[in-house]
Amino acid sequence: MLDQQLAAQLKAYLERVTQPFELVASLDEGKSSTELRSLLEQIAGMSDKITLRTDGNDARKPSFSLQRQGTDTQLRFAAIPLGHEFTSLVLALLWTGGHPPKESEETLQAIRDLPGEYNFEVYMSLSCHSCPDTVQALTLMAIQNPNIKVTIIDGALYQKEVEERQIMGVPTVHLNGEMFANGRMTVEELLAKLDTGAAARDAAKLNQKAPFDVLVVGSGPAGAAAAIYAARKGIRTGILAERFGGQMMDTLSIENFISVQETEGPKLSAALEAHVRQYDVDVMALQRAAAIKPAEQAGGLIEVTLENGAVLKSRAVILATGARWREMNIPGESEYKTKGVAFCPHCDGPLFKGKKVAVVGGGNSGVEAAIDLAGIVEHVTLFEFMPEMKADAVLQDKLRSLKNVDILTNAQTTEVIGDGTKVAGLRYKDRASNEEHQLDPAGIFVQIGLLPNTDFVKGTVELSKFGEIVVDARGATNVPGVFAAGDCTTVPYKQIIISMGEGAKASLSAFDYLIRNSTPA
């Protein structure tokens, strides 16, 4: 199953296993079971501490559990975890075999201290670059706490089950048979969702923090660059890191980051976080700003109020809150999110294998999505509001060469139709004739651009008519001591490399502001 290079890498990793454990496979006579058996035999042959049994009797076949001797670990893969989940497999093997995880002891103890019993089922797809974070977080929790049972299910392998449970987006997590969460989740996010008192405890800790010289709000490319540049000046720096990488985490392929020929969003995001943590930066994870109060109204220091009620103070603030997917804002859209309305073709595309889908948006993102989906689904219909698509010519040529793609220009989507549980159709208007039409796709992938995450500064910081923070050439806003950078600003061209440069510039401008103003932190 594993090629020579992957096998060599895995064997090197398995040398770190210190405690014996079993792989217990539940198999049938199908092709997938044969493939899983081959993979597990290969793994077991790499370490004398791993034993393979094939007498499992789980209802999901193929699947396998990992069981360390002397423990009650309840971790099962109803999948052949390759593709984006190969790393999840490696970590599951290492952690089950006694290799310590990188998480802090505080986090690990919080997992062990969770009261009650939990039966998690997480549905993923091997092509989903968002799924591994959730899979690995739940894997860790299952290994650390015997009262947590986790089953990781490949939606493409168990398509009938996915259809019965009406799962139309991954990762999707069920807890004790009920819908629990959808989308990428970290260990900290899962703990916060399970431990209802966590937010209040976090707020109390944050309220005790001393004022910062520079507080960065946001941890995408702009925020990370700003934090690094500020920390290198030797000043007290903090960063509100709701999700390192931001929108970049949802980007599969990056080929225009100069000097790096090709990388992936999650990989570059991890590198950003590692770089920030090399410096003396106070990283406050899973925190989102709710309001900002200028220094002149707050007694000399800028105040940032968080959603959990905590208040942080700083001499200067850099807003780098990025952007989010723009929605169609039509009836039915919000009701059927994750039930057929999707925003990530790489993540959710495999769930629509053999079905008809629609892509809304004729820019580069929309056309790229349609091209990717055309290789998976039965048919793709692309909707473009304007008379002509805006995507690069090379992408349009590729799209038009595909036989299972239709392109509708001058088409205004007007309503998402559903049957109460999932998407059943999409209504649209021909803008040239004003005629109404309806198609019946099983999924609708929305790719119509981004909206800046600036709602919390309305009325305080000047915004453009598009909701972007207005900045000058130095990244300064209209509020003294408040700077901004990246996709949330009026700076044109929303690109990773531009955001990083703007973050660095805003940080240098903030430092220049500090040395010209004597208010000490």
Side-chain angles (χ1 to χ4, degrees), residues 416-428:
V416 173
I417 306 300
D419 62 8
T421 58
K422 63 182 185 298
V423 165
L426 178 64
R427 288 180 181 155
Y428 69 97

Side-chain angles (χ1 to χ4, degrees), residues 20-21 65 178 206 208 212 252 278 281 325 356 451 468 507:
F21 65 93
S65 63
E178 301 293 332
L206 292 168
Q208 300 302 314
F212 294 95
L252 183 60
Q278 278 190 336
V281 177
W325 292 114
K356 297 177 181 179
L451 282 175
E468 299 168 323
S507 192

Side-chain angles (χ1 to χ4, degrees), residues 59-194:
R60 292 188 180 96
K61 295 180 175 66
S63 67
F64 67 98
S65 63
L66 297 89
Q67 185 66 56
R68 187 195 305 170
Q69 293 180 14
T71 70
D72 296 320
T73 302
Q74 301 184 76
L75 173 63
R76 176 173 297 277
F77 282 85
I80 304 173
L82 300 175
H84 283 292
E85 294 299 341
F86 180 68
T87 301
S88 302
L89 171 63
V90 173
L91 291 174
L93 295 169
L94 291 178
W95 292 338
T96 303
H99 186 71
K102 293 182 179 179
E103 276 70 16
S104 68
E105 181 57 31
E106 181 182 7
T107 297
L108 296 178
Q109 192 59 50
I111 295 172
R112 300 180 198 119
D113 290 343
L114 282 172
E117 295 186 355
Y118 306 88
N119 182 4
F120 286 103
E121 295 167 299
V122 54
Y123 292 86
M124 56 78 176
S125 69
L126 299 182
S127 62
C128 169
H129 58 281
S130 299
C131 293
D133 283 352
T134 306
V135 169
Q136 291 163 24
L138 288 167
T139 295
L140 178 64
M141 293 175 71
I143 292 171
Q144 291 293 317
N145 188 330
N147 293 321
I148 299 176
K149 178 181 179 181
V150 173
T151 304
I152 298 153
I153 305 162
D154 179 4
L157 195 59
Y158 290 90
Q159 202 158 19
K160 182 179 179 182
E161 183 174 336
V162 164
E163 291 175 355
E164 289 174 349
R165 300 187 90 165
Q166 297 175 346
I167 293 167
M168 308 189 78
V170 290
T172 290
V173 181
H174 283 217
L175 173 58
N176 299 333
E178 301 293 332
M179 176 66 179
F180 176 72
N182 182 274
R184 177 190 283 110
M185 297 189 77
T186 63
V187 172
E188 291 79 11
E189 287 172 312
L190 287 163
L191 284 171
K193 196 171 177 66
L194 294 169

Side-chain angles (χ1 to χ4, degrees), residues 301-353:
L301 292 171
I302 302 165
E303 290 185 356
V304 176
T305 301
L306 309 185
E307 286 192 347
N308 63 10
V311 177
L312 300 174
K313 298 181 179 182
S314 185
R315 295 174 63 197
V317 169
I318 298 174
L319 304 173
T321 48
R324 63 189 183 278
W325 292 114
R326 183 185 297 274
E327 299 177 1
M328 296 182 290
N329 291 319
I330 60 176
E333 181 181 26
S334 60
E335 291 88 336
Y336 291 99
K337 279 183 183 176
T338 75
K339 299 176 182 178
V341 175
F343 297 86
C344 179
H346 305 293
C347 303
D348 300 334
L351 300 178
F352 296 90
K353 183 178 181 179

Side-chain angles (χ1 to χ4, degrees), residues 352-364:
F352 296 90
K353 183 178 181 179
K355 299 179 180 179
K356 297 177 181 179
V357 302
V359 173
V360 181
N364 283 349

Side-chain angles (χ1 to χ4, degrees), residues 423-436:
V423 165
L426 178 64
R427 288 180 181 155
Y428 69 97
K429 181 175 71 174
D430 184 324
R431 296 177 61 231
S433 66
N434 283 326
E435 293 180 358
E436 297 279 349

